[in-house]
Amino acid sequence: ADRVFGGFRKTSERLSSNLSGVVGTARLDDATLDNVEDALIVSDLGPAAAARIRTRLSDKRFGLNITERELKEAVAEEIAAILRPVAKPLEITAFPRPQVILVIGVNGSGKTTTIAKLAHLFQEDDYSVMLAAGDTFRAAAIGQLATWADRINVPLVRGPEGGDPASVVFDGVKAATQQGIDALIVDTAGRLQNKRELMEELEKIRRVLGRLNPEAPHDVVLVLDATNGQNALSQIETFRQVAGVTGLIMTKLDGTARGGVLVAAAEQFGLPIHAIGVGEKIDDLRPFDPDLVARVIA
Ligand code: GDP
């Protein structure tokens, strides 16, 4: 696990160290359960998941002898139980093609990088991919996406800076359909400061897409920066209202101490978690493996 996740281990050290020394009497008593619950909350798992884990531990083991190591294993098992139902890779199943994947998230969350990583994962599975630069608001965003597209050798559909994102998406779907592309991944603006504009923009994209294919967008993937901790949760809430969200990708789980927010998100929203970002490189997107992640967190 350490090799796979690199810096993500820091997360584990955090909950792990928060869990250290909580077994006071070598038995699972109320004081120990209080400590466990506190450690889980402090580690960003959120009050609901913390309470659920506490209850499960108590139901299974109250009054029994427990070592610190056994406690950590038991916590990992309960975390895995919360994460397993939401682990769901992003699969290419759309018929007719292309599968249109709208990628949303605030600027800086790692959206552009994640799009490139996702495209790369699909390529490795022998799917053809096209990108659409739907964040026409920031010239830098278009440029950055173009650089990635070059690097991984996928076609990019783009429009002028300040142009209409919906028209870029329209061109993208047309080109992808003509070329028999499997997956069209669409970058979108991340200006959450102006919710109303963003909502209208995303609605227009949806409208245009829906006219081309009633099933599109097939996926609306929200990219979240795990270093935002609990803030990531309010972003999920907002984007669910603004855009509808079908699944999550959490980035920057390397070098952060806040992987616990994955558990909070799973508990609170139950949205599929497709993958996690563990670095800046093209192959630093990992399928979301709940058991592995649970062991790393706890
Ligand atoms: P956008 O503004 O949402 O499109 O974000 P970018 O894709 O430009 O990413 C913002 C910064 O986060 C860049 O420096 C990326 O290299 C970095 N980044 C993205 N994903 C990850 C990740 O999983 N881990 C780390 N350490 N950095 C990441």
Side-chain angles (χ1 to χ4, degrees):
D2 297 350
R3 244 185 311 117
V4 177
F5 288 96
F8 187 19
R9 206 171 113 76
K10 287 175 194 158
T11 304
S12 88
E13 282 158 6
R14 184 159 169 211
L15 174 56
S16 205
S17 60
N18 288 341
L19 284 173
S20 294
V22 300
V23 183
T25 59
R27 288 194 322 135
L28 194 62
D29 54 16
D30 277 318
T32 303
L33 285 168
D34 283 346
N35 292 339
V36 171
E37 193 171 348
D38 292 349
L40 293 169
I41 290 171
V42 169
S43 307
D44 268 337
L45 280 82
R52 179 195 291 268
I53 291 170
R54 180 205 175 109
T55 303
R56 295 249 193 102
L57 288 175
S58 176
D59 287 351
K60 289 180 187 166
R61 295 173 184 249
F62 191 84
L64 302 181
N65 288 336
I66 194 162
T67 64
E68 190 168 300
R69 177 143 176 263
E70 287 164 345
L71 177 71
K72 285 179 182 175
E73 272 166 23
V75 169
E77 174 47 37
E78 299 308 336
I79 289 175
I82 292 174
L83 294 179
R84 270 179 219 127
V86 299
K88 192 169 168 288
L90 197 53
E91 281 169 355
I92 306 294
T93 54
F95 184 85
R97 300 281 211 254
Q99 181 152 328
V100 181
I101 301 165
L102 220 55
V103 182
I104 61 177
V106 301
N107 295 334
S109 60
K111 192 156 40 84
T112 314
T113 313
T114 300
I115 288 170
K117 291 171 174 174
L118 205 52
H120 178 70
L121 270 187
F122 289 146
Q123 282 179 314
E124 287 193 322
D125 286 340
D126 283 331
Y127 291 115
S128 55
V129 186
M130 183 181 279
L131 307 182
D135 183 359
T136 57
F137 196 73
R138 296 183 301 163
I142 305 177
Q144 203 192 339
L145 200 62
T147 305
W148 276 117
D150 273 354
R151 214 181 291 171
I152 59 175
N153 199 21
V154 297
L156 169 74
V157 174
R158 58 192 284 183
E161 186 192 346
D164 181 1
S167 104
V168 175
V169 175
F170 180 83
D171 292 345
V173 176
K174 271 204 324 199
T177 305
Q178 273 162 14
Q179 295 172 39
I181 297 283
D182 294 310
L184 176 71
I185 310 179
V186 180
D187 190 16
T188 62
R191 292 170 289 141
L192 207 51
Q193 320 80 271
N194 197 332
K195 239 165 79 173
R196 160 148 221 100
E197 253 180 52
L198 182 61
M199 191 183 302
E200 282 166 5
E201 189 168 307
L202 292 170
E203 264 167 19
K204 188 168 175 194
I205 290 176
R206 277 178 171 282
R207 230 171 26 243
V208 167
L209 278 172
R211 242 179 260 136
L212 292 166
N213 177 350
E215 308 268 312
H218 302 81
D219 307 282
V220 182
V221 178
L222 174 61
V223 175
L224 295 164
D225 177 344
T227 62
N228 283 332
Q230 296 294 306
N231 228 329
L233 300 176
S234 56
Q235 285 177 19
I236 299 176
E237 190 54 60
T238 306
F239 273 103
R240 277 211 313 180
Q241 293 162 13
V242 169
V245 174
T246 62
L248 308 174
I249 293 181
M250 186 92 58
T251 65
K252 307 187 196 181
L253 280 162
D254 54 307
T256 172
R258 295 180 186 266
V261 75
L262 271 171
V263 186
E267 173 75 30
Q268 195 173 329
F269 298 99
L271 284 165
I273 300 176
H274 297 309
I276 54 175
V278 295
E280 304 196 66
K281 293 197 299 292
I282 191 71
D283 54 3
D284 285 334
L285 189 70
R286 303 271 182 274
F288 179 62
D289 177 338
D291 292 279
L292 184 58
V293 167
R295 261 181 288 141
V296 173
I297 293 178

